[in-house]
Amino acid sequence: MSSIVVTANGNDNKKFKGEDKMDGAPSRVLHIRKLPGEVTETEVIALGLPFGKVTNILMLKGKNQAFLELATEEAAITMVNYYSAVTPHLRNQPIYIQYSNHKELKTDNTLNQRAQAVLQAVTAVQTTNTPISGTTVSESAVTPAQSPVLRIIIDNMYYPVTLDVLHQIFSKFGAVLKIITFTKNNQFQALLQYGDPVNAQQAKLALDGQNIYNACCTLRIDFSKLVNLNVKYNNDKSRDYTRPDLPSGDGQPALDPAIAAAFAKETSLLAVPGALSPLGIPNAAAAAAAAAAGRVGMSGVSAGGNTVLLVSNLNEEMVTPQSLFTLFGVYGDVQRVKILYNKKDSALIQMADGNQSQLAMSHLNGQKMYGKIIRVTLSKHQTVQLPREGLDDQGLTKDFGNSPLHRFKKPGSKNFQNIFPPSATLHLSNIPPSVSEDDLRMLFANTGGTVKAFKFFQDHKMALLQMSTVEEAIQALIDLHNYNLGENHHLRVSFSKSTI
């Protein structure tokens, strides 16, 4: 390695030893220490990609160190500030990033060929027209991006991922034009369209396999076969950022054009959040989810964010506090429910903490309950007030604070791992030995739907049961969760990610 020359301030050539002072003045060259032994150039370059163009890299394999040069000092400052708030990890090991004393890297290309090849490949993706240091980028270095549209699947989704969260993450790689989110095979998926295939390639390179929050919500990214998305509505399931005038569908108010414009501005800035995840999402909702991802905050500790939800467009003939408690209880511990006296198609629901209200909102908004598509948003209320002593409010307000039916009271309960979007397939547990498949089929058919399939687990204490639609499954869960099957067994019902 001795012939690598680093030019400091462009003139005094000196042999490079790799020692740097701790907090030097800002520089576009960053010194990265404590790298795991087997780390590749690509992984180190990926650390810098969200902040701007990476122009050079030098790996000191023997010392577990590297130098990364960014195109601008501003990009380097953003990167250092960000990673001082959020410790960066490579291969699950914390690493350390600081400014180098050197203002630029001049590397001897013969020795650093592999790094240069990687860098050229990445840079070719970022800026298809500016090859580094006069060499032309070989065609084979990068497979050209097939499409500006990415298909995104999210694994291990213990915490909600909303359309806005995706917009924030993916905007770091270029202007996001359109996003459509949906649930397929019981997995949250999205299609996201950039203005340019190059941005899609860059985002895929940097984000595929990353976790949005600590230890959960892993991004799996592929190019879509579609080259253009057709978005009909701007709401929380789909959005066309180029057309703020689109209707929202389902009677949900459309995005105010001023808000839409603000969105475009606000999300392109890289905020520096507190103790957040690898992809650093600045809003409070994400902070709450990230806190929860550490499995803290779920029991009693309010991890920020609003705990009260406003649910509207309810079927006022049918809905009760108990039915809302049961359905919303799939995603958190419901404390209180109030159906509004003057507007009985709306209710306030207080969850145990901000993560749970986020989770319930992201999974239940837009679902059908008693034949109507319900809307779930965060309420401005901090708590749900109980009626004054002796005042009869016709049973519209109910306190569930001491309910024995809370699914998430026990810290570390395995219910945390089994939170899935509403699905036609239900997971049943706590089935007594005397109850047969026919008994259960009949019970569930009585909720007004059709049982399409049924399968006992080996021990017959648990089963999967498939209704013909998600709406029927929601209804069956509301009616039959905690149903007394005799022999002191109360049936437990939840949504399943499996199909039969």
Side-chain angles (χ1 to χ4, degrees), residues 165-214:
V165 165
L166 289 175
H167 186 253
Q168 264 167 325
I169 296 167
F170 283 83
S171 290
K172 290 174 195 167
F173 299 91
V176 173
L177 305 188
K178 304 169 188 178
I179 305 179
I180 298 173
T181 64
F182 53 96
T183 301
K184 185 176 174 187
N185 304 334
N186 289 336
Q187 269 189 314
F188 179 84
Q189 302 196 13
L191 292 167
L192 180 144
Q193 181 175 344
Y194 282 106
D196 189 326
V198 165
N199 303 123
Q201 172 90 334
Q202 191 188 334
K204 178 179 185 300
L205 206 68
L207 297 177
D208 190 23
Q210 293 266 17
N211 290 338
I212 298 179
Y213 305 132
N214 299 326

Side-chain angles (χ1 to χ4, degrees), residues 80-122:
V80 168
N81 288 347
Y82 174 67
Y83 285 129
S84 61
V86 183
T87 306
H89 286 70
L90 281 181
R91 307 209 175 195
N92 296 325
Q93 284 191 36
I95 57 169
Y96 299 91
I97 299 179
Q98 65 199 54
Y99 299 116
S100 165
N101 307 337
H102 306 299
K103 294 296 178 207
E104 61 174 326
L105 281 182
K106 283 267 171 61
T107 51
D108 176 334
N109 277 357
T110 52
L111 278 170
N112 204 21
Q113 261 169 344
R114 179 170 156 205
Q116 292 302 320
V118 172
L119 198 60
Q120 285 182 3
V122 173

Side-chain angles (χ1 to χ4, degrees), residues 374-443:
I374 63 170
R375 285 279 149 234
V376 186
T377 56
L378 292 173
S379 162
K380 55 183 185 300
H381 293 280
Q382 296 303 306
T383 58
V384 170
Q385 297 294 321
L386 294 175
R388 286 195 300 281
E389 275 303 311
L391 192 76
D392 174 29
D393 78 338
Q394 302 166 4
L396 294 176
T397 308
K398 206 155 161 36
D399 186 349
F400 293 98
N402 297 322
S403 168
L405 296 181
H406 286 154
R407 294 177 189 240
F408 305 101
K409 262 237 170 70
K410 282 213 256 344
S413 152
K414 65 175 183 300
N415 290 338
F416 285 112
Q417 267 85 42
N418 294 317
I419 297 174
F420 302 111
S423 57
T425 307
L426 296 167
H427 180 274
L428 318 182
S429 59
N430 206 26
I431 303 167
S434 61
V435 169
S436 69
E437 173 174 339
D438 285 347
D439 295 335
L440 289 165
R441 278 178 174 267
M442 193 127 85
L443 188 63

